[in-house]
Amino acid sequence: DCYINRGVTILDTGYVRIGDRVLVGPNVQLMGATHPLHFELRNGTKGPEMGSEITIGDDCWLGAGALIFGGITIGKGCVVGA
């Protein structure tokens, strides 16, 4: 089980794994999606969207407003401050 507060955004272009007993504070953003950095590849709204995995271990606490990007693993028992 986990608790996800209000205003949380999860962009899940890649897998987002949330462990047991995780607390997710208000307005946390889990941003697994991204776009190419080069403007020609990005091509406005016609370019690709890519994604990376986010893994949050058991017993973690993501404080209010925390921003977690793709490719990140947060280990068991960690606290991420705002």
Side-chain angles (χ1 to χ4, degrees):
D1 65 29
C2 69
Y3 178 77
I4 298 177
N5 212 314
R6 60 182 288 142
V8 172
T9 301
I10 302 173
L11 297 183
D12 60 346
T13 305
Y15 286 108
V16 175
R17 293 181 172 87
I18 299 175
D20 293 328
R21 299 170 303 280
V22 171
L23 303 174
V24 181
N27 301 312
V28 167
Q29 297 181 55
L30 305 177
M31 310 299 277
T34 190
H35 300 279
L37 296 177
H38 194 278
F39 73 95
E40 288 178 343
L41 293 174
R42 199 170 45 247
N43 194 21
T45 60
K46 297 177 184 175
E49 182 177 42
M50 303 167 296
S52 298
E53 229 174 80
I54 296 173
T55 301
I56 302 167
D58 295 341
D59 300 302
C60 289
W61 174 23
L62 306 182
L67 179 55
I68 310 299
F69 290 103
I72 297 296
T73 296
I74 298 172
K76 180 179 179 178
C78 288
V79 175
V80 178

